[in-house]
């Protein structure tokens, strides 16, 4: 399972989950197998500096990365609709580190 986290700054497990999806600077993508973290990578969000369509550009990046789920504090309505359409699960979580948010998702399994 690949989970993308909208990251507030440079990414990584200690970064905070961003309140913004489409305009977050970085996505931290965590690959989990059998409940264990097997890979963590930070990728630039192309929507971060977009004049318009930031959310859709961000969604396309996640599709290209092959993610199964995404976490952010808020999602725009267009981005959220497309995420559901393409089958990427959406989690709304605020005021957490990426590791804390990941732990909450894994505890649901």
């Amino acid at each position: 399972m690949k989970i993308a986290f909208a990251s507030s700054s440079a990414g990584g497990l200690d970064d905070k989950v961003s309140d913004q999806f489409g305009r977050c600077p970085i996505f931290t993508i965590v690959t989990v197998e059998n409940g264990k973290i097997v890979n963590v990578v930070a990728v630039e969000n192309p929507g971060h500096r977009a004049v318009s369509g930031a959310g859709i550009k961000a969604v396309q990046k996640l599709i290209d990365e092959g993610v199964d789920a995404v976490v952010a504090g808020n999602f725009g309505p267009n981005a959220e609709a497309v995420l559901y359409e393409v089958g990427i699960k959406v989690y709304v979580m605020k005021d957490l580190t990426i590791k804390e948010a990941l732990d909450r998702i894994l505890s649901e399994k």
Side-chain angles (χ1 to χ4, degrees):
M1 176 180 207
K2 283 177 104 172
I3 308 167
F5 295 85
S7 304
S8 293
S9 58
L13 296 176
D14 294 326
D15 199 0
K16 290 279 190 185
V17 173
S18 175
D19 283 341
Q20 298 181 328
F21 167 71
R23 298 225 178 255
C24 73
I26 297 285
F27 287 112
T28 299
I29 300 176
V30 180
T31 304
V32 177
E33 292 176 5
N34 300 317
K36 303 271 191 244
I37 298 170
V38 296
N39 194 31
V40 178
V41 63
V43 297
E44 186 174 353
N45 173 14
H48 177 62
R49 290 185 170 79
V51 175
S52 63
I56 301 304
K57 286 178 175 62
V59 171
Q60 186 59 57
K61 180 65 175 175
L62 299 184
I63 292 168
D64 294 347
E65 293 289 336
V67 303
D68 303 296
V70 61
V71 179
N74 293 295
F75 293 85
N78 293 337
E80 189 169 17
V82 174
L83 288 163
Y84 281 119
E85 219 174 87
V86 299
I88 295 176
K89 185 165 180 156
V90 171
Y91 291 93
V92 176
M93 296 186 187
K94 298 180 182 205
D95 301 319
L96 297 171
T97 66
I98 289 168
K99 178 69 168 107
E100 291 167 338
L102 178 64
D103 289 344
R104 286 189 184 186
I105 292 169
L106 294 179
S107 71
E108 290 180 2
K109 303 284 177 206

